[in-house]
Amino acid sequence: MLRSIIKAYNEAVYETDKEAAFKIVEEAMKQGITAEEVVFDVVIPAIEEMMSMIIHDPDANLAQHFMTAQIATEVTEKMLTRFKQSPKIVGTVVMGTASGDLHSLGKRIVMGCLKAMMVSVVDLGVNVKPDTFVNEAVRFNAQVIGISAMMVHTATGEHGCRRVREILKERGLEPRIKLVVGGAPYRFDESMYRTVGADGWAPDGVTAAKVIIDLIGEVRQHDAT
Amino acid sequence: MTPLEILAAAVHGAPAPRIPIFCHLLDQGARELGLSQKQYFSSGEYVAEGQLKLRKRFGHDNVWSLFYVGKDAEFFGCKEILYSDDGSPTVADFIIKGWDDIEKLVVPDDITAHPAWEETGKCLSILKQEVGDTHPICAYLTASTTLPSLLMGMDQWMELLLMGPKDLRDELLQKCSEFLQKKIAAVRAAGANVLVYTTPFGTTRFVGKKRFESFSMPWMKRDLEPGGVDGVVYYCGMEAFNDVIEPVMNELKIGVYYISPLADLTEAKTIIGNKGVTCGVIDDIKMITWTPEETRAEVKRLCDIGKPGEHFLFGTGVMPLAIPEANIKAMLAAAFEYGSYP
C-alpha cells in the first residue's frame, strides 16, 4: 500500500499539483498510515526521488523543484503536530543570501527540502552580512552555513562567501562549521565554489539539501572523534 | 560595411567580411567614466557616453540602452534600487508586497511621459544620433512572464504562478504584457534596432514542456505579436533552450537565438540552420579566471562551430566586472580573427 501512496504522491508533486498531493496524504492517513510514516516513508523518499529525477530526467524543471519543497514543507509541518514524539533532528543550518543579493527563490527551495528532511533551518533572510552568517551559526550551533547568490559579484565578491571563509578561519571555526554555496553563477563555472572558499555547492535547490546533509554528517563525525 | 550592415548580412545570409561581434559591457561604463554605479546610472548622458567610449576602445559592434534590468520596476513605482560598485544594481524594494497590490498596479498610459523613461530616452537619443546609422543599438525587453519577478520577487511570483488564483495571475501578466508592448514601441521609436527579449520562462528548464506550451508560449505571443519580431532576439537569461527553438521559430517567427554557453551550440546551429541567426555565446563567467589564451581558444571553438553556413553571430553574456581587461581584449581580437570570412 505504501508503495502505491509514494507513487501517487510523487506523481502529484511531479505535476506540481499541491491539492492532489494533500489529498493523497489525507487518504493515506484515513487508511491507517501514521504521520511519522507520511514524513519518513512518503515525503522524504519523494524528495530523494526528485533528486534522482533532476539528474536523469531532461524535463525536470525549476517549477517542480519549487513545488517539491513547498509541498514537502507544508505536509511535514502538518504531520509534525501529529507525531507521537519529537523527531530526531539531523542537524542545523543557517541560510541566507549573500550581502548585496536579494534573490530568495533558491534559498526557499533548499530550506523547504531541508525542513522536510528533519534539518533545523535558521532563515537569515536576504542581503546578509558575512559576520552575521558566522555569529548566527555559532549562536544556533549550526554545522553548516548556506549562502545563496544569484549575481556574479555577490557570488565572488569580497563581502560574500570569501569573507565568511576568512572569518571562520580567523575564529578557528572551520572544523565545526562547513560552508555551502548555490546560485546561478556557480552553474557556469563549476570550480567557482572552491575559488570562493566553500566546502560544497549544488546546481539546484533540491540536490543542495543532500549536499548540506552530507556536510552535517562530516561535522558530526569530526565532533565524535 | 558598417556593423549594422554586417548584422543585416548575417540575418539574410548575404556576403560579409566577418560575423557580427556583440559584447555586453553594461556595468563597465561607470568605471570607464570614473563614476560610482549610482552616479553613472542616474543619467542617460553618462550611460550613452559610457557605451560609446567602451565601444570605441574595445571595437565591438553594439551599444546598449539598458541601464539595469530592474529599471522596469520603476515604471510601476519602485523607488529603491540597491547599487554596488562591484556589479549590477538590483531592485531593493518590491512594489507588490501582497496579492492585493496587483489590483492597484497601474501601467502608465504613455510610458515615454513617465519619469522612469526620461534618462533612457536621453540615452537612446544620443546613441541614435551618434551611431544609429552604423551600429546595432540594443534594448532589453523583460517578458511579461518574467517582469513580475522584478515587482514581487521571484519566489513570490513562482508561488502565485504555481499555487495562486489564476485570475489574479492573469491580471498581473496582462499588465506586464501591456507595459512590454508599450516599451517595445517606445524603444523602437527612440532608435533601438536590436531588441533582446528575455525570459527564463521561455525554457523547459524553468517550467517544463507542458507549462511552456500552455503558459509561456501564449504570453510570449501576446507580448510580441502587436509590434512584430523585427530585430527581436530570443534570450533566456543564459539558460539553455535548444529543445524549444523549433516551436519558437514556428510560432513566434523570431529570427535570432542567443544560445546559452550551457547548451550544445552544434545542435542549436543544426536546428536553426539558415532559417535564422545562431548566436554563439562565450561563458564569460569563466573568463574571470581564464587566461587570455584560454579565452582565445574558446572563441575559436565557438566560431569553428558557428561560422560555416553563415547566419552566425558571436556574443557574450553579462560580462561581469571582475573579468580582466586583457581577457576582453583577447576575446574580441579572437572574434575578429576567427570570425572573418575568407
Side-chain angles (χ1 to χ4, degrees):
Chain A
M1 183 175 70
L2 208 53
R3 193 57 237 165
S4 69
I5 294 166
I6 293 171
K7 188 169 177 283
Y9 177 86
N10 275 352
E11 278 169 7
V13 171
Y14 186 82
E15 293 297 329
T16 65
D17 190 340
K18 189 172 115 175
E19 278 174 32
F22 268 82
K23 206 175 261 179
I24 289 155
V25 169
E26 272 167 34
E27 285 300 317
M29 293 198 74
K30 275 182 199 163
Q31 289 169 40
I33 302 284
T34 65
E36 286 85 349
E37 283 173 322
V38 169
V39 172
F40 293 109
D41 298 337
V42 179
V43 175
I44 293 177
I47 295 173
E48 284 163 351
E49 200 151 310
M50 183 58 78
M51 288 170 182
S52 148
M53 197 187 291
I54 286 165
I55 299 163
H56 298 110
D57 181 351
D59 202 31
N61 56 76
L62 188 72
Q64 288 169 333
H65 304 177
F66 181 82
M67 289 305 282
T68 298
Q70 191 67 29
I71 295 168
T73 312
E74 288 184 34
V75 171
T76 304
E77 274 172 7
K78 210 169 166 185
M79 292 301 112
L80 280 172
T81 60
R82 302 186 197 181
F83 269 35
K84 289 194 179 74
Q85 56 187 33
S86 295
K88 191 171 176 287
I89 295 300
V90 173
T92 301
V93 53
V94 296
M95 291 205 69
T97 70
S99 178
D101 205 309
L102 293 108
H103 299 84
S104 55
L105 177 66
K107 174 171 74 74
R108 180 166 165 176
I109 295 172
V110 183
M111 283 172 39
C113 293
L114 285 171
K115 281 179 187 170
M117 296 175 95
M118 299 300 136
V119 175
S120 171
V121 185
V122 180
D123 183 5
L124 303 180
V126 294
N127 193 14
V128 180
K129 289 189 168 59
D131 53 351
T132 305
F133 277 112
V134 179
N135 291 341
E136 294 301 281
V138 170
R139 186 173 153 222
F140 288 97
N141 201 19
Q143 291 81 30
V144 174
I145 293 173
I147 307 175
S148 174
M150 276 299 288
M151 299 187 289
V152 174
H153 72 282
T154 58
T156 62
E158 295 303 318
H159 307 294
C161 185
R162 284 178 199 270
R163 182 63 194 136
V164 176
R165 167 58 68 202
E166 282 172 7
I167 298 172
L168 288 176
K169 202 170 185 179
E170 284 161 14
R171 293 173 59 178
L173 293 166
E174 286 179 305
R176 269 180 54 196
I177 301 173
K178 297 290 177 189
L179 199 44
V180 176
V181 290
Y186 300 103
R187 290 177 54 226
F188 289 88
D189 182 353
E190 293 187 6
S191 64
M192 187 188 282
Y193 82 95
R194 281 197 297 263
T195 315
V196 299
D199 297 299
W201 83 290
D204 60 81
V206 180
T207 45
K210 186 181 179 329
V211 172
I212 288 170
I213 288 170
D214 288 348
L215 284 172
I216 289 172
E218 272 184 37
V219 175
R220 289 247 192 254
Q221 206 167 15
H222 176 271
D223 289 349
T225 54
Chain B
M1 286 174 92
T2 65
L4 204 52
E5 288 166 339
I6 289 170
L7 178 61
V11 171
H12 300 297
R18 62 169 173 83
I19 61 171
I21 296 164
F22 275 44
C23 180
H24 307 318
L25 300 172
L26 297 165
D27 300 331
Q28 286 81 356
R31 193 186 284 169
E32 191 71 13
L33 301 191
L35 300 171
S36 70
Q37 295 286 59
K38 194 173 180 179
Q39 285 172 309
Y40 176 69
F41 288 121
S42 70
S43 154
E45 281 101 340
Y46 287 153
V47 174
E49 187 186 352
Q51 284 297 304
L52 293 167
K53 278 193 168 172
L54 287 165
R55 204 216 62 74
K56 200 168 178 188
R57 188 148 73 86
F58 289 106
H60 50 287
D61 286 342
N62 65 307
V63 290
W64 268 98
S65 63
L66 171 67
F67 286 42
Y68 42 87
V69 174
K71 194 152 184 66
D72 281 355
E74 295 172 16
F75 287 88
F76 293 90
C78 169
K79 289 189 169 49
E80 227 180 291
I81 298 292
L82 182 64
Y83 292 93
S84 162
D85 285 329
D86 305 328
S88 307
T90 186
V91 173
D93 183 35
F94 295 118
I95 204 76
I96 301 175
K97 293 181 171 42
W99 289 356
D100 291 348
D101 293 334
I102 291 169
E103 196 190 340
K104 292 179 247 164
L105 214 61
V106 176
V107 181
D109 281 337
D110 175 3
I111 70 163
T112 62
H114 193 281
W117 171 264
E118 197 178 336
E119 298 306 321
T120 301
K122 279 185 203 166
C123 173
L124 270 164
S125 169
I126 296 167
L127 294 176
K128 186 182 177 184
Q129 192 185 328
E130 295 292 323
V131 294
D133 294 334
T134 52
H135 291 73
I137 299 174
C138 301
Y140 191 88
L141 306 174
T142 302
S144 61
T145 49
T146 301
L147 184 50
S149 67
L150 301 176
L151 305 177
M152 63 196 304
M154 184 59 96
D155 65 327
Q156 294 302 316
W157 169 225
M158 288 294 268
E159 189 174 322
L160 174 60
L161 170 62
L162 299 170
M163 297 184 285
K166 191 174 174 300
D167 55 343
L168 201 60
R169 180 201 86 176
D170 286 352
E171 184 183 343
L172 176 58
L173 285 162
Q174 275 160 18
K175 288 180 178 179
C176 290
S177 191
E178 184 192 337
F179 170 77
L180 181 65
Q181 289 166 16
K182 288 179 177 179
K183 186 175 172 185
I184 290 172
V187 294
R188 273 200 180 122
N193 46 28
V194 172
L195 310 186
V196 180
Y197 178 72
T198 311
T199 179
F201 289 87
T203 70
T204 54
R205 191 190 169 271
F206 234 67
V207 288
K209 201 162 189 175
K210 245 200 245 176
R211 198 171 263 111
F212 172 83
E213 286 164 0
S214 64
F215 168 75
S216 305
M217 184 62 92
W219 283 103
M220 291 197 292
K221 271 187 192 166
R222 188 189 170 113
D223 288 349
L224 296 171
E225 270 176 3
V229 291
D230 189 29
V232 171
V233 177
Y234 193 74
Y235 171 65
C236 294
M238 300 297 272
E239 286 294 348
F241 59 80
N242 281 5
D243 58 335
V244 301
I245 291 173
E246 276 188 356
V248 171
M249 281 185 117
N250 293 338
E251 296 193 40
L252 299 180
K253 315 289 181 203
I254 290 176
V256 186
Y257 295 85
Y258 216 75
I259 306 301
S260 163
L262 301 176
D264 179 347
L265 182 62
T266 307
E267 181 188 68
K269 175 82 180 177
T270 306
I271 297 167
I272 297 164
N274 60 8
K275 300 189 292 286
V277 175
T278 304
C279 306
V281 180
I282 196 163
D283 184 340
D284 51 21
I285 291 180
K286 282 191 179 144
M287 280 176 67
I288 296 170
T289 50
W290 274 344
T291 62
E293 289 70 31
E294 286 170 317
T295 305
R296 273 182 67 81
E298 178 60 6
V299 177
K300 181 178 185 306
R301 189 186 72 82
L302 294 170
C303 289
D304 285 348
I305 295 169
K307 212 172 64 165
E310 297 162 341
H311 294 278
F312 182 68
L313 178 155
F314 173 82
T316 68
V318 292
M319 293 296 281
L321 268 173
I323 297 174
E325 189 167 314
N327 283 357
I328 302 176
K329 287 180 172 166
M331 175 190 78
L332 289 166
F336 280 96
E337 182 182 338
Y338 299 119
S340 291
Y341 290 113

